[in-house]
Amino acid sequence: PFEFTKGVSIMRDEVQKLTTALEAERRYEVDEGNDPYVCMFDNMTCIAVGTLFLDFSIYNLPADDDEKTLKLRQPVAPFQNMGVLEMEWEPLPGLPDLDGNIPDGEVPDILEPEDLLGKPWTYGVRIRQAVGVPMVCKEARAHFNLFGTDYESETVEQ
């Protein structure tokens, strides 16, 4: 809704500027950022957010069943429920290659958080589906913040 309202407001301003230019018989050119197509169609919208605590990852464990369903909510007040995200977190022995093949090897056993120091920490995240989200999307992607660093998944088209 905010992006639409903002787009409409920009369009109204542009109509006023164009009207003024026509009345003054001057040339007027719309800035690229205020182009109607850009304002109304070429934007990304955050419709839902969720929080998952990664305590299990300190021990190189997979997510428990109750951690595989992430409740989603609106990112702004009134913070209504927006469905759920079904996902899995699985520890990996190393980074997958460019074809997505996971290397052979063992995931280190971690009994105490200090045991992780100096050892690899690699997880695979598989998003199965978003259920109950009240909007059909052409494209979707996930944004993660892990320990103060932002990550984004590849964009998935439907």
Side-chain angles (χ1 to χ4, degrees):
F2 169 76
E3 287 81 5
F4 179 77
T5 304
K6 179 181 169 191
V8 169
S9 177
I10 290 171
M11 300 268 296
R12 284 186 180 143
D13 289 346
E14 289 301 319
V15 167
Q16 182 60 43
K17 291 175 186 177
L18 182 58
T19 302
T20 302
L22 287 171
E23 288 172 356
E25 297 182 5
R26 329 182 249 119
R27 178 181 161 92
Y28 180 73
E29 199 169 308
V30 176
D31 292 333
E32 185 176 330
N34 293 348
D35 180 288
Y37 179 82
V38 173
C39 289
M40 302 307 286
F41 301 105
D42 191 23
N43 54 55
M44 187 71 80
T45 303
C46 178
I47 59 168
V49 296
T51 301
L52 175 66
F53 295 99
L54 300 172
D55 298 350
F56 59 86
S57 70
I58 295 172
Y59 300 97
N60 270 352
L61 296 172
D64 289 334
D65 287 343
D66 64 331
E67 296 163 324
K68 291 182 179 181
T69 303
L70 181 62
K71 292 180 182 177
L72 301 175
R73 60 179 170 72
Q74 282 182 317
V76 295
F79 306 110
Q80 294 174 321
N81 289 334
M82 296 292 285
V84 296
L85 187 68
E86 294 178 6
M87 58 192 298
E88 296 176 17
W89 286 74
E90 189 71 35
L92 303 176
L95 291 173
D97 63 20
L98 295 176
D99 294 324
N101 299 315
I102 298 170
D104 293 331
E106 296 289 321
V107 174
D109 287 330
I110 305 296
L111 301 176
E112 296 295 327
E114 296 80 24
D115 296 344
L116 187 58
L117 295 174
K119 294 186 179 161
W121 186 88
T122 306
Y123 266 77
V125 180
R126 177 174 286 124
I127 298 173
R128 297 280 184 201
Q129 63 180 343
V131 179
V133 178
M135 180 179 280
V136 176
C137 300
K138 178 184 171 193
E139 297 178 346
R141 68 176 168 205
H143 176 87
F144 298 92
N145 183 296
L146 300 174
F147 309 111
T149 303
D150 290 331
Y151 300 91
E152 281 192 8
S153 70
E154 295 178 11
T155 300
V156 176
E157 293 187 29
Q158 189 169 350

